[in-house]
Amino acid sequence: MGRFKQATRKRSQADRRRLTEPDAVAARAIASAFIPAQARASERASAAKLLIPWQRAPSGVQPGSSVDLDDKGFPAAVSDFIGTETLVLHHSLFPAMSAAENLTTVAHLIDQWEPTGKMRTISIITLCRSALESASRAVWVLCEPDRDERRSRALRITREEVQRHKKYVTEQVNRLDKAAANSASAPMAFETPAYVIELKTQKRNAESVMQTLIDSGVKGALTMEQTIDAAAEWIDANRLVKSGRPMANLTREKYSIASGIAHGSTWPTRYLLGATDLTSVVADLLYASLTTTEAAITLWETHASVDPRVGRKYPQHLRQAARQLHPRYASASS
């Protein structure tokens, strides 16, 4: 068995060396020119890299800006439980930053295609899916011109998150109560009596805040599929980049395939047969997730600024879109 493992390891090392030999790298570079989808993916990876400065340092909220005025006067009980009074910011900036980070990671993985010969396509597809989900949520919160509606959408997402939090702490409390009744089940080191008390406090608080939101008439959030559809429709209607492809049908189709792959389903594999089909899925999904992320950060910069001069880290090729959108959301009063 030891000799077999050694032989396998040597073959694997030899294969890796062959993949990175100059002739092999050059051959892949030549071949990529004959696979249009691979060229598209590489071009979009280059565009994703332009998000790196913004992802590291997005603009802060300027006093009197749209999002600053949005975040005035949310119910104290809700803000205390969530840990912030700025719910619109809370549910739009973090998702946009998360999407940008996922895409800059995708760009790094695509850069490795030719030098290493390793495609990492499943990881790329999963990262793009996550970016599309996060960016779509930010677009859905921020795209509505009416302030009351933006605040309503932030509260709807808050209700969904409180519900998920309540479910989590309820499950943990039930598990620990059962463990306490079973002498054979020892708690983990961190599950001290103080920890159990804190969990039960969180459970009561989550139930109370959930009831506050229900009593206030806050509806549930859209499903993720509905959120993605709504974001794609807004992007198609506004065409931030005039040369962009229509998003609605493309986004839903590629999201379905990506979700199947992310969940370990086998049905999407029939759409991944052959290098061209596989890279086409990657290129189209990267296009959809990148376009949605660009829309999310454009909306953020527009809402966070008191004038059309957005932050220095915002990508240059999107600045015209931000200048055009700013009057729609600018407001001198709450």
Side-chain angles (χ1 to χ4, degrees):
M1 183 62 74
R3 290 179 181 176
F4 175 78
K5 287 184 177 179
Q6 285 183 339
T8 301
R9 189 180 302 113
K10 287 180 180 179
R11 283 197 300 272
S12 177
Q13 291 171 346
D15 289 342
R16 284 197 293 271
R17 283 195 296 270
R18 282 194 290 270
L19 284 171
T20 55
E21 286 175 354
D23 288 349
V25 174
R28 284 194 295 275
I30 294 171
S32 67
F34 297 96
I35 305 177
Q38 190 162 324
R40 293 203 314 273
S42 296
E43 290 170 4
R44 288 160 189 172
S46 296
K49 292 178 187 176
L50 300 177
L51 305 181
I52 292 175
W54 183 89
Q55 174 235 316
R56 292 174 176 169
S59 293
V61 176
Q62 295 180 356
S65 64
S66 175
V67 73
D68 178 52
L69 298 174
D70 285 352
D71 277 332
K72 305 292 186 185
F74 281 110
V78 176
S79 298
D80 290 345
F81 182 77
I82 298 299
T84 178
E85 298 177 349
T86 55
L87 296 183
V88 176
L89 179 157
H90 189 66
H91 294 307
S92 55
L93 179 56
F94 174 76
M97 293 176 68
S98 175
E101 180 172 328
N102 280 331
L103 292 184
T104 54
T105 302
V106 166
H108 172 74
L109 292 174
I110 290 177
D111 280 347
Q112 302 304 307
W113 281 3
E114 289 177 9
T116 67
K118 297 177 180 178
M119 301 292 280
R120 311 291 191 194
T121 47
I122 300 302
S123 297
I124 289 171
I125 288 170
T126 303
L127 287 166
C128 285
R129 172 182 179 266
S130 179
L132 180 58
E133 289 180 337
S134 297
S136 294
R137 171 163 283 192
V139 170
W140 183 68
V141 172
L142 294 176
C143 70
E144 172 57 48
D146 182 73
R147 169 159 293 121
D148 287 340
E149 178 60 22
R150 292 195 299 273
R151 287 168 57 85
S152 172
R153 292 182 180 189
L155 282 169
R156 290 174 70 179
I157 293 175
T158 299
R159 172 175 165 166
E160 178 190 50
E161 294 204 356
V162 171
Q163 178 64 35
R164 292 182 182 276
H165 191 170
K166 181 168 78 73
K167 178 182 178 183
Y168 167 76
V169 291
T170 299
E171 289 172 348
Q172 298 310 304
V173 167
N174 292 342
R175 177 180 63 81
L176 291 171
D177 284 346
K178 289 179 181 178
N182 182 1
S183 58
S185 178
M188 290 182 278
F190 67 89
E191 294 172 343
T192 63
Y195 174 77
V196 176
I197 291 172
E198 175 60 23
L199 276 180
K200 291 182 176 181
T201 300
Q202 287 289 324
K203 179 176 179 292
R204 288 194 300 272
N205 290 344
E207 290 168 345
S208 176
V209 171
M210 191 68 188
Q211 194 60 52
T212 296
L213 291 167
I214 292 171
D215 291 344
S216 300
V218 176
K219 298 184 291 185
L222 301 182
T223 65
M224 185 52 67
E225 288 81 2
Q226 290 170 331
T227 303
I228 288 170
D229 287 347
E233 289 170 5
W234 185 86
I235 292 168
D236 284 343
N238 288 273
R239 299 294 296 275
L240 303 183
V241 179
K242 301 305 180 185
S243 60
R245 296 167 59 189
M247 287 281 288
N249 294 331
L250 173 72
T251 298
R252 172 52 77 91
E253 179 206 359
K254 298 309 175 189
Y255 179 70
S256 296
I257 292 175
S259 295
I261 292 170
H263 296 150
S265 300
T266 57
W267 68 262
T269 57
R270 69 177 57 194
Y271 301 99
L272 307 180
L273 299 175
T276 301
D277 289 339
L278 181 59
T279 51
S280 288
V281 170
V282 170
D284 289 343
L285 182 60
L286 178 53
Y287 172 79
S289 57
L290 176 61
T291 301
T292 308
T293 301
E294 289 178 340
I297 67 175
T298 296
L299 283 165
W300 170 258
E301 290 290 320
T302 300
H303 280 277
S305 177
V306 293
D307 58 46
R309 294 174 296 176
V310 294
R312 292 185 298 109
K313 304 294 185 180
Y314 180 64
Q316 188 66 35
H317 70 286
L318 298 174
R319 289 179 175 272
Q320 181 61 28
R323 285 192 290 269
Q324 292 174 349
L325 282 178
H326 193 271
R328 187 185 307 179
Y329 301 106
S331 176
S333 68
S334 60

